Amino acid sequence: MPVADQATPFLIALGLLAAVPGVALGWAWALPGTVLAVFVLFFFRDPERVPPAGEGLVLSPADGRVTGVDRRPEGTRVTIFLSLFNCHINRSPVSGTVGEVRYTPGRFLAAWNPRAGQVNERNELAIEAEDGVFGVTQVAGVLARRIVCTRKTGDRVRAGDRIGLIQFGSRTDLDLPAGVEPLVTVGESVRGGL
């Protein structure tokens, strides 16, 4: 399975953590570093996903569990919590043009905390599509200390394209324009790009 490039520095450090004591003290001393390296490979997995075909579809921007569907006059926000065991690659929910990318430094509350979307470190993308503007917000959590966004203003994206990742536990919010009704409910599991 492919692995995101962002795993490389972690894998180098963990490789050294396993190799040095393993060579000096025996293979058993390499076990902790090896186990952590395997976890990093698992965490940074980047599977290929084939988005479903069809008109008017809005895809999930992340793997995880839906923890909120907040209907407001300006549109609906779908909140997705990503555990350490979910794939953390974020994907575009629709085809369009990235209109704005805005990074906001902040706190590191638990990603499931309702206030996390307003006070935590986050990165917001506005994707301008035929049906309106769709927002994807990458929100850092307690362990997530690095948000990676691989898109910039003016980039064209197709539904399901990779737009970034959040390292080590996080949350992704999807803002739908008014009139677009989500088909997911709180508690459902979703997969990015599908």
Side-chain angles (χ1 to χ4, degrees):
M1 175 173 297
V3 176
D5 294 339
Q6 290 80 7
T8 304
F10 295 102
L11 293 172
I12 291 170
L14 291 170
L16 290 171
L17 181 68
V20 171
V23 169
L25 303 170
W27 68 269
W29 290 91
L31 195 56
T34 302
V35 168
L36 288 172
V38 169
F39 174 75
V40 166
L41 285 171
F42 173 76
F43 180 84
F44 284 95
R45 67 195 182 281
D46 186 5
E48 289 298 326
R49 301 260 169 95
V50 178
E55 293 295 317
L57 296 178
V58 180
L59 309 180
S60 174
D63 288 17
R65 187 171 50 87
V66 175
T67 58
V69 177
D70 181 24
R71 289 172 172 81
R72 302 169 293 181
E74 65 273 16
T76 300
R77 171 170 283 176
V78 177
T79 300
I80 303 165
F81 174 72
L82 293 75
S83 79
L84 285 174
F85 301 105
N86 290 118
C87 176
H88 278 62
I89 301 296
N90 292 141
R91 297 174 185 269
S92 179
V94 293
S95 296
T97 302
V98 177
E100 181 182 8
V101 178
R102 184 175 23 155
Y103 169 78
T104 305
R107 298 177 60 192
F108 296 98
L109 298 178
W112 59 81
N113 185 317
R115 294 186 338 115
Q118 289 79 44
V119 301
N120 279 18
E121 177 176 318
R122 60 197 173 280
N123 190 68
E124 300 168 82
L125 285 86
I127 301 171
E128 299 167 359
E130 288 182 14
D131 298 334
V133 177
F134 293 77
V136 177
T137 304
Q138 302 167 287
V139 182
V142 172
L143 297 176
R145 299 295 172 134
R146 176 112 168 87
I147 295 173
V148 177
C149 180
T150 57
R151 301 298 177 154
K152 61 186 182 313
T153 300
D155 283 356
R156 292 275 311 148
V157 291
R158 290 172 300 160
D161 281 355
R162 293 165 182 86
I163 58 174
L165 67 92
I166 314 168
Q167 297 177 3
F168 302 116
S170 52
R171 166 180 154 178
T172 301
D173 294 340
L174 171 62
D175 289 316
L176 304 170
V180 176
E181 185 64 25
L183 299 177
V184 294
T185 59
V186 173
E188 280 189 65
S189 291
V190 293
R191 296 182 66 200
L194 300 177

